[in-house]
Amino acid sequence: MSRRADGSDGPKPPAGAHRDRAYAPRGLRREAAAYWVGLSPTKFDEAVAAGVYHPGKMVLGCRVWDRYQLDIEFENALDDRAAPGLAPNTAADAWSGVK
């Protein structure tokens, strides 16, 4: 991975990315969703097609990804060198044991 002009590594954040705000929005457009999980938009598309990440949802004609679900999917993404993820499969599963 090459170094950017600002001296940092990794993909360049999209314009208006969550770094420009006090908090990340819940719904992320494609480039921001890819950046959130550390992938380029093209690699993110491949991961969505492979079922690693959900396909997003259409909201008023814009496809957006839920960052909470992306976090869960990132935790559960299998690494060839690691044990299976420990995070719940869905947000609902995360609360299933709470009484």
Side-chain angles (χ1 to χ4, degrees):
M1 197 171 288
S2 61
R3 208 164 263 290
R4 295 197 323 253
D6 65 2
S8 61
D9 291 327
K12 180 181 177 192
H18 61 274
R19 285 185 157 184
D20 299 337
R21 301 178 181 170
Y23 60 91
R26 172 81 184 264
L28 302 171
R29 297 291 300 270
R30 175 180 165 262
E31 287 186 354
Y35 181 70
W36 185 259
V37 297
L39 299 175
S40 71
T42 303
K43 207 43 112 167
F44 181 73
D45 293 342
E46 291 175 20
V48 169
V52 175
Y53 296 107
H54 66 285
K57 62 171 84 175
M58 294 297 288
V59 177
L60 299 174
C62 296
R63 185 159 302 277
V64 294
W65 281 262
D66 181 330
R67 71 180 167 92
Y68 296 158
Q69 189 66 34
L70 287 172
D71 287 342
I72 290 169
E73 292 163 344
F74 184 83
E75 284 291 324
N76 287 320
L78 294 179
D79 182 340
D80 292 341
R81 299 165 297 167
L86 301 175
N89 290 324
T90 67
D93 290 344
W95 294 98
S96 64
V98 176
K99 296 179 183 183

